[in-house]
Amino acid sequence: LLATGVVYGDAVAAGGLHRAILAAPPATRAMVVSLSAEPDRLEGLDGGIRPELERAMGATGGDVVRVTKSGSYADAATPADQVHDLTEFQSFDGIETRATLLDGAWPQAGGTPLQATVSDVAARQMDLNVGDRLSLVSRLDASLRVDVAIVGIWRMDPNDALHLGDQLRGAHSWVRRSSAKTSCGAASAY
C-alpha cells in the first residue's frame, strides 16, 4: 500500500507539471536542466540525458537545445588583480536558426583565430564591431589563452523561450567551436 501511494503521488505530480506547461503561453514553456562536467565527458552525458528530456518534452511539443558554458576569461592585457570584466564562452546548438544575422557572416569552424559572432546587445556593451579581435586568458588556468575574431553580429528573438529568465542572455556573443552545428559565445559585464 505504501508503494502505491508513492507511485500515485509521482503520477499526480507529473500530471500537474504537464498541465502547467501546457497551460503556459508557448513562449514561456521552458525547462532548464544544468550540470557541471569536464569537456571530455559532455558527449557521453548528453547521450544519456537528451533522450530523457526529449521524451519528457514530447508531451508538450517542446524542443531540446544544448547550451554548454566555459569558465570565465578576461582580457589578456589586464593584470589579474585588476580584472573587472569577464567573458564566458558558450556553445548553443542551432543559433543560426534562432537568430537573425545583422552584419558579417556566421563563423567557420577550426580557424585561427577562433571566429565569433556577437549579439547586437553584446556588441554595444563590449563596443565590438565586425573585424575586431579579442585576446583572452582563462581565469582558472592562465596558460589557456584564446584569440577571437569578431566576424558577425546577430539579434536573438526576444520571445524565444530559450532566453526567458536569463537577464544576461542578450549580452552573450557566440563563437563556432567545432565542425558540428554548434556555436559558442562570450558575455561581458559580470
Side-chain angles (χ1 to χ4, degrees):
L1 188 59
L2 182 58
T4 304
V6 171
V7 171
Y8 176 75
D10 186 45
V12 169
L17 175 61
H18 284 145
R19 281 192 302 283
I21 291 173
L22 288 171
T28 63
R29 294 180 192 170
M31 176 172 52
V32 176
V33 177
S34 65
L35 63 95
S36 295
E38 293 299 315
D40 60 339
R41 295 191 60 220
L42 182 61
E43 291 303 321
L45 290 169
D46 189 58
I49 294 169
R50 183 180 295 262
E52 291 302 315
L53 291 174
E54 289 171 345
R55 185 181 60 76
M57 295 301 292
T60 64
D63 58 342
V64 176
V65 177
R66 180 172 68 178
V67 178
T68 57
K69 298 179 182 183
S70 72
S72 57
Y73 285 74
D75 182 341
T78 303
D81 62 342
Q82 297 177 18
V83 170
H84 299 289
D85 295 326
L86 298 177
T87 300
E88 178 184 79
F89 289 95
Q90 292 192 349
S91 171
F92 175 31
D93 291 345
I95 189 171
E96 297 89 351
T97 63
R98 298 181 96 102
T100 302
L101 191 62
L102 302 175
D103 189 19
W106 291 113
Q108 298 299 310
T112 302
L114 194 63
Q115 293 185 1
T117 58
V118 290
S119 72
D120 55 341
V121 175
R124 284 191 303 276
Q125 289 181 353
M126 297 173 76
D127 193 27
L128 293 172
N129 295 293
V130 171
D132 288 349
R133 292 189 176 224
L134 302 172
S135 181
L136 303 171
V137 61
S138 169
R139 295 289 289 160
L140 301 175
D141 180 356
S143 69
L144 185 55
R145 294 177 175 261
V146 62
D147 291 318
V148 179
I150 306 303
V151 299
I153 298 174
W154 52 265
R155 178 176 296 132
M156 187 64 67
D157 176 358
N159 295 316
D160 190 324
L162 184 63
H163 310 293
L164 297 175
D166 186 345
Q167 306 249 335
L168 293 175
R169 179 79 64 193
H172 289 176
S173 58
W174 305 84
V175 178
R176 172 135 3 216
R177 291 176 54 104
S178 69
S179 59
K181 291 207 180 230
T182 301
S183 300
C184 300
S188 67
Y190 283 87

